[in-house]
Amino acid sequence: AATNRMTILNNGNVGIGTSTPAYAFDVAGTARFSGGLTFGSSASVSTNFEIGGYASISSVITQNSSTASNSFAGSLDLAKGLRQTGTSANYFTGNLGIGTTSPSNLLDIYSTATASMDIWSGGTSTDKKFTIRSNYQGLGTSERLSFLNGAGTELMTVASTGYVGIGTPAPTAKL
């Protein structure tokens, strides 16, 4: 008996592995694209979405499933951000760059002036937030790594001289 492997409906929908395609291009099973793949407005993936090469995404990737995962083994550019609302994990193999397209370490955070990272323990209350900030303003003691509380107060500073200050942004001694 002959098996129908591809279907083209009168409305223009094309199905591979399905005789009732619900979309313009509907694949039942695993699909592979060795060239480029472009999504015009939005893409919905019901289980896993894996990219082994390069991906450039100009909007937000949102994951809200407790069973799905995103795997990016190649290069990924996010112009808007990566957000997860479920309980599953996003993971990256290789180097991850924030503010750089050529990270040389597992995590590179780059800024032409001040790079910072906020650590929150839930909610939006500033009493549950700490900031780690790299302050580059030229050569000398103005280069420093600072730890701030939610109110923006510098709690501890490590200067480029190796001096460590607690409660001061400009330490003048080893501790």
Side-chain angles (χ1 to χ4, degrees):
T3 302
N4 188 8
R5 302 208 184 256
M6 183 171 140
T7 302
I8 302 174
L9 298 180
N10 290 336
N11 64 5
N13 288 356
V14 176
I16 297 178
T18 177
S19 60
T20 57
Y23 302 95
F25 185 59
D26 196 344
V27 177
T30 302
R32 178 173 185 243
F33 297 89
S34 60
L37 175 63
T38 302
F39 298 104
S41 60
S42 65
S44 176
V45 179
S46 61
T47 54
N48 295 336
F49 186 55
E50 297 184 24
I51 297 173
Y54 173 83
S56 178
I57 300 168
S58 60
S59 191
V60 177
I61 292 178
T62 301
Q63 179 176 307
N64 56 14
S65 170
S66 61
T67 59
S69 66
N70 298 313
S71 172
F72 303 97
S75 175
L76 174 66
D77 289 343
L78 294 172
K80 299 279 184 172
L82 179 65
R83 177 182 349 167
Q84 179 174 330
T85 58
T87 57
S88 59
N90 290 300
Y91 57 93
F92 299 88
T93 58
N95 298 339
L96 175 61
I98 298 174
T100 177
T101 58
S102 55
S104 57
N105 298 294
L106 287 176
L107 175 61
D108 274 356
I109 301 173
Y110 174 78
S111 173
T112 57
T114 299
S116 64
M117 177 175 63
D118 289 339
I119 301 169
W120 295 80
S121 62
T124 57
S125 175
T126 57
D127 64 339
K128 298 178 179 180
K129 172 184 154 186
F130 283 92
T131 300
I132 300 172
R133 180 173 65 196
S134 171
N135 189 17
Y136 171 76
Q137 296 180 359
L139 300 175
T141 58
S142 65
E143 291 182 49
R144 63 185 189 268
L145 180 66
S146 303
F147 298 85
L148 296 82
N149 65 13
T153 304
E154 237 171 295
L155 303 175
M156 184 173 80
T157 302
V158 180
S160 62
T161 59
Y163 296 164
V164 176
I166 298 175
T168 177
T172 57
K174 290 201 181 226
L175 183 62

